[in-house]
Amino acid sequence: MKKSIFTIAATLALAVVVVPSFADDKSDIKALYGKLTVAMKARSADGIMKLGTKDFTMTEKGQTMDAK
């Protein structure tokens, strides 16, 4: 389970960098990274998931997961 939480968090972090249209400027991106860092250090899956979008999907090892 720890590995999948890390994978989801890493994917969310990458999405923030790759798709800058979600953030207006550099300060917004830094704020999201700050929130992600706090959630990861606290090992808060809920905190990490709150930073994602409702239509988030991820496929790993043939299994597709969503934000639910």
Side-chain angles (χ1 to χ4, degrees):
M1 172 128 181
K2 288 182 185 179
K3 186 174 182 179
S4 64
I5 291 174
F6 175 76
T7 303
I8 291 169
T11 303
L12 289 172
L14 182 60
V16 170
V17 173
V18 174
V19 186
S21 63
F22 291 129
D24 291 331
D25 57 21
K26 190 174 181 178
S27 63
D28 288 341
I29 295 170
K30 284 185 176 184
L32 285 172
Y33 269 113
K35 291 177 183 178
L36 179 61
T37 300
V38 169
M40 290 181 72
K41 284 183 179 179
R43 297 179 182 222
S44 170
D46 289 336
I48 293 168
M49 294 304 291
K50 286 179 183 177
L51 297 172
T53 61
K54 292 181 181 181
D55 62 347
F56 171 79
T57 61
M58 180 180 103
T59 303
E60 183 177 322
K61 297 181 182 179
Q63 180 180 8
T64 301
M65 295 177 270
D66 60 22
K68 295 177 187 172

